[in-house]
Amino acid sequence: MLTEIPTTFSSLQLSDEDWKYKTERSEGCCLGLKDGVCLYPRGKVLGGSSALNAMIYIRSYEDDHEHWVKEGNVGWDYESVLKYYERFERGGLNISKIREDAQIREMIIKSYQEMGFQERSDTRHLGYTDTPFTISEGTRQSSAKAFITTIKERPNLYVVLNAQVARLTFNAQGVNGVEVLINQKLIKLKASKEVILSAGAINSPQVLMNSGIGPKEHLQSLGISIKKDLRVGEHFQDHPVFHVLLDVDEEFLRPRSKEQTIDDIYQYVMYRKGYFANNPMVNFLMHLNTNENGEFPNLQVNHIPFPRNSREHMKIFYTGFNYPPDVQKAIFESNEKNSNMIIMLKNLKSKSLGRITLRSADPFDYPQIYPNYLSDDQEEDINTLLYGVRFIQRLMKTKPFADANPQLANLNLPNCEMFQFDTDDYWKCTFKNYVTHLHHPSGTCKMGPESDPRTVVGPDLKVHGVAGVRVIDASIMPRIVSANINAATYMIAEKGAELIKEEWSVRHTEL
Ligand SMILES: Cc1cc2nc3c(=O)[nH]c(=O)nc-3n(C[C@H](O)[C@H](O)[C@H](O)COP(=O)(O)OP(=O)(O)OC[C@H]3O[C@@H](n4cnc5c(N)ncnc54)[C@H](O)[C@@H]3O)c2cc1C
C-alpha cells in the first residue's frame, strides 16, 4: 500500500519491497558510511524499481543520444527515440507537475533568477523547474500501474509473482527458455520464440553470468562453464550524489503542526490531494552545466526542507543513504537548534566505471556491486561535485536566500577532521566518504556493435553471438543518460517492444 502514496517513498527502502543490496567495500568511495558501504535499493515487486523510486520523470537529451550513435548504435538517435517517448506519454503513462505554494519555492526561484537563470523548458535544458512526476491523480504510477494493469486481462499475458529466474536454458540453436524458482521449486519454462531479459542493471548481468555468458576469466574462477565470453557486468554507471547540509532560520522553514498533518491525511484519503499526493523532497529541480557554454545539464540540484525537530523524517532519509549513527547524531543535534535544508548535488555525467560480478556459482546469491564512484583518472567526477558546492555557496549569497540566514553545517565529520572546514581538500575528503548515488545503475550489458569488445548487446538488443535472447532494461545504456533514468528505460522498453514486433511480424508473413 505504501508504494501508492507519493510522500512515503523513502520509507520503502529497506522494506520487504526492496532487495536490500549493498555495495562491496572499496578504497575510494562510500568510506564514511556505515560499514564502509553504500546501500543499493532495488524494487522487489511488480513494477520493479519504478514502484519505489522518487518518481522524477525527465527524458534523456540530444547529446546523450549523439554519444550513443557515435558508439555505433544505429537507430538510437534523438529524433528516432522521440516517437517512443511520445507514444507512452500520450498512452499509458501520466506525468504531472505539482506546484507547491510554499514560501521556499518562491525564494528559490527568485534566488536562481538573481543568478541569471530562467525556467527550464523543452528547448532550454538548463534552469529551474517544478518536477515532472510519474504521479497520476495523487497516486504513484509505477510501470506495472501504467503498462500492465490496463492489459492484465489479455489471454496471452501471464504474470507470476514471487518467481526468481536462475539462468537461461539452451538447446543446439541457442537460448530456449529459463530455469525459474517458484514456490521453492526450480522449474523450466520454454520459450517458443525468444527470451526477453529485463531484470535491471544489477540482475540482468547476474542472470547472463549465471548462464555462462560473461567475462571468461571471472566465470572460470567460479567453475561456471562458458557459453560466450562477453564483458557482461562491466561498464557499470550511476549518478553519484552528495548531500550538502545547511542550517537555516526557523521562521523560514516552519514545522508542520499536528492539526495540519491531520488535515493533510484527510485531504489525501478523501481527495488524493495535498501534501501526501506529492514528493516534497524532490519537488523542485535545478539543472546546470559546470561549463558556462554547456547547453545540456551535467549537474542536477534539489532542495529538501527539514524544519526544526524533523528528526524522524531525517532519520529515514539518512538511514536510506546508510549514514552512520555518529554522523546522524550530529545532524539531529543541528536540527534541534534550527531548521535545515539539504541540497542534493547529483553528477549527471559521471565518468567512473564500476562492475557487477557474481559472488558465487549459486544463482540466488546476491551479486557483488563495485560502483567505483569518483575513480576517473582526471578527477572530473570529484571536480564536478566541488563546482556544485561552490555553486551552492553562490546561491546562498543571493538576496532572497541570504534572508534565510543559511550556513553550511559543520558536522566535524570523523574521517575528514584533518582538513580545514570548507577547503577544497575538506570537500574532496567528504566526497570520498559520504558520496552515495541516485540508484540509477546502468550500462552493465552495454549496447554497441559486435566489433566493440566492451559491448554485450547490439542495437537490436540481442546478445552478441547467442541466439534467442535480448536484454531490455537500463543495463543496455551505452553511456548513462544525463537525466533520472526511469524515463529513458521506458523509452528503451518501448523501442525494444517494437523491435520484437517488427522481427516476428516479418517472419510470420514469410511463413
Ligand atoms: C529508491 C529509488 C529512487 C529512484 N528514483 C528515481 C527517480 O525519481 N526517477 C528516475 O527516473 N529513476 C529513479 N530511480 C531509478 C529507476 O526507478 C530505475 O532505474 C528503473 O526502474 C530501472 O528499470 P529497470 O527495468 O532497468 O530495472 P528495475 O526497475 O529494477 O526492474 C527489474 C525487475 O526485475 C526483477 N528481477 C531481478 N532479478 C530477477 C530474477 N532473477 N528473476 C525475476 N525477476 C527479477 C526485480 O525484482 C524488478 O522487479 C530510483 C530507483 C530507486 C531504487
Side-chain angles (χ1 to χ4, degrees):
M1 193 179 73
L2 282 186
T3 66
E4 303 267 293
I5 308 169
T7 307
T8 55
F9 105 95
S10 39
S11 49
L12 298 168
Q13 285 163 53
L14 302 172
S15 71
D16 288 348
E17 279 79 33
D18 178 6
W19 283 93
K20 304 188 191 86
Y21 291 133
K22 290 176 183 171
T23 64
E24 299 301 305
R25 287 176 73 99
S26 87
E27 285 175 13
C29 61
C30 314
L31 304 176
L33 299 175
K34 196 162 159 248
D35 303 326
V37 299
C38 285
L39 296 183
Y40 220 113
R42 296 279 84 201
K44 192 181 187 182
V45 56
L46 202 61
S49 302
S50 75
L52 23 146
N53 72 13
M55 297 161 289
I56 299 174
Y57 181 87
I58 309 265
R59 286 182 187 173
S60 48
Y61 296 92
E62 279 104 308
D63 69 334
D64 293 323
H65 291 277
E66 253 170 46
H67 186 94
W68 288 19
V69 171
K70 217 159 60 194
E71 293 209 338
N73 292 297
V74 181
W76 291 86
D77 54 289
Y78 191 68
E79 287 292 298
S80 303
V81 303
L82 257 188
K83 70 167 185 242
Y84 302 110
Y85 277 118
E86 284 163 3
R87 199 177 287 170
F88 59 78
E89 286 172 11
R90 272 203 314 265
L93 191 72
N94 289 323
I95 296 137
S96 55
K97 282 189 177 180
I98 302 150
R99 199 196 135 126
E100 280 190 279
D101 288 328
Q103 170 201 357
I104 170 177
R105 176 181 178 278
E106 287 308 305
M107 179 277 263
I108 292 172
I109 290 178
K110 288 199 179 114
S111 303
Y112 282 130
Q113 284 174 343
E114 193 181 305
M115 290 176 89
F117 290 102
Q118 291 173 279
E119 190 167 1
R120 181 181 178 273
S121 68
D122 286 348
T123 49
R124 188 189 303 115
H125 307 295
L126 305 181
Y128 54 84
T129 182
D130 290 312
T131 305
F133 282 123
T134 43
I135 295 177
S136 178
E137 296 178 3
T139 308
R140 170 195 294 275
Q141 230 198 1
S142 68
S143 56
K145 269 274 164 87
F147 306 117
I148 298 185
T149 339
T150 47
I151 58 158
K152 67 180 199 282
E153 306 302 339
R154 281 190 190 170
N156 61 351
L157 173 70
Y158 190 77
V159 178
V160 189
L161 299 175
N162 303 311
Q164 190 173 356
V165 171
R167 54 174 75 83
L168 306 169
T169 58
F170 297 82
N171 63 12
Q173 280 73 49
V175 172
N176 72 341
V178 291
E179 204 171 72
V180 52
L181 189 71
I182 303 174
N183 289 337
Q184 306 306 319
K185 262 202 208 132
L186 253 190
I187 61 165
K188 286 187 174 155
L189 297 179
K190 225 166 146 235
S192 54
K193 292 190 170 68
E194 56 177 310
V195 171
I196 312 300
L197 185 55
S198 302
I202 308 289
N203 301 106
S204 283
Q206 180 189 21
V207 173
L208 288 179
M209 289 190 279
N210 288 340
S211 319
I213 303 169
K216 193 171 164 189
E217 64 292 349
H218 173 52
L219 299 188
Q220 272 171 347
S221 73
L222 295 171
I224 297 173
S225 62
I226 313 290
K227 288 271 193 268
K228 178 78 187 165
D229 180 14
L230 287 174
R231 299 291 101 189
V232 173
E234 300 183 6
H235 209 275
F236 169 100
Q237 291 191 299
D238 197 332
H239 293 137
V241 52
F242 181 69
H243 306 115
V244 181
L245 185 70
L246 305 184
D247 298 337
V248 291
D249 275 355
E250 191 184 342
E251 55 279 18
F252 175 71
L253 274 182
R254 295 225 158 269
R256 298 179 89 72
S257 65
K258 277 196 183 127
E259 292 72 21
Q260 213 172 349
T261 303
I262 290 168
D263 193 42
D264 290 337
I265 295 171
Y266 180 80
Q267 286 295 322
Y268 190 72
V269 172
M270 296 303 290
Y271 310 113
R272 290 282 181 276
K273 286 200 162 63
Y275 183 79
F276 284 92
N278 182 8
N279 183 354
M281 299 253 239
V282 291
N283 193 2
F284 202 77
L285 298 176
M286 172 69 191
H287 287 96
L288 62 137
N289 193 305
T290 50
N291 177 339
E292 64 182 50
N293 300 318
E295 186 188 344
F296 299 99
N298 64 357
L299 257 181
Q300 188 186 71
V301 175
N302 64 277
H303 328 75
I304 311 179
F306 283 110
R308 196 164 79 83
N309 291 329
S310 301
R311 184 194 176 106
E312 289 311 312
H313 205 171
M314 283 183 124
K315 193 172 169 127
I316 294 173
F317 178 86
Y318 279 108
T319 304
F321 284 107
N322 212 24
Y323 273 58
D326 54 341
V327 178
Q328 289 204 28
K329 187 165 168 273
I331 293 169
F332 302 152
E333 278 168 11
S334 154
N335 189 247
E336 277 163 20
K337 292 191 211 111
N338 43 252
S339 292
N340 292 104
M341 187 186 280
I342 295 173
I343 310 262
M344 285 177 82
L345 295 174
K346 315 172 210 176
N347 181 348
L348 298 176
K349 280 198 179 0
S350 166
K351 297 275 188 309
S352 307
L353 297 181
R355 189 176 174 188
I356 304 291
T357 51
L358 296 180
R359 191 175 302 278
S360 72
D362 174 354
F364 303 115
D365 217 353
Y366 273 18
Q368 295 167 311
I369 305 171
Y370 294 96
N372 287 342
Y373 302 129
L374 314 178
S375 64
D376 61 310
D377 291 343
Q378 307 295 320
E379 293 206 344
E380 275 182 61
D381 288 355
I382 286 189
N383 287 326
T384 301
L385 291 175
L386 192 56
Y387 179 99
V389 170
R390 301 303 177 207
F391 175 85
I392 294 308
Q393 286 176 306
R394 282 192 278 137
L395 177 73
M396 287 158 66
K397 289 198 179 111
T398 58
K399 169 84 177 69
F401 216 114
D403 286 347
N405 193 22
Q407 310 286 336
L408 286 173
N410 183 354
L411 300 171
N412 297 316
L413 296 168
N415 293 4
C416 299
E417 272 169 348
M418 58 293 238
F419 297 108
Q420 194 188 334
F421 182 67
D422 198 25
T423 56
D424 285 1
D425 284 342
Y426 167 82
W427 288 113
K428 287 181 184 180
C429 172
T430 61
F431 299 156
K432 293 258 175 199
N433 278 281
Y434 301 100
V435 155
T436 62
H437 58 98
L438 268 192
H439 324 304
H440 293 170
S442 54
T444 49
C445 299
K446 183 176 162 72
M447 172 171 72
E450 203 163 355
S451 54
D452 180 345
R454 300 166 304 165
T455 66
V456 174
V457 300
D460 56 3
L461 304 178
K462 291 180 182 174
V463 175
H464 292 315
V466 185
V469 57
R470 282 184 225 240
V471 182
I472 308 188
D473 57 33
S475 69
I476 67 97
M477 291 187 189
R479 184 178 78 177
I480 190 166
V481 296
S482 21
N484 312 64
I485 67 170
N486 202 38
T489 308
Y490 289 174
M491 175 275 290
I492 291 165
E494 188 75 46
K495 181 169 162 85
E498 187 164 281
L499 290 169
I500 297 165
K501 282 194 279 185
E502 269 169 9
E503 172 156 350
W504 292 102
S505 59
V506 171
R507 289 207 198 177
H508 191 68
T509 324
E510 279 170 0
L511 290 172

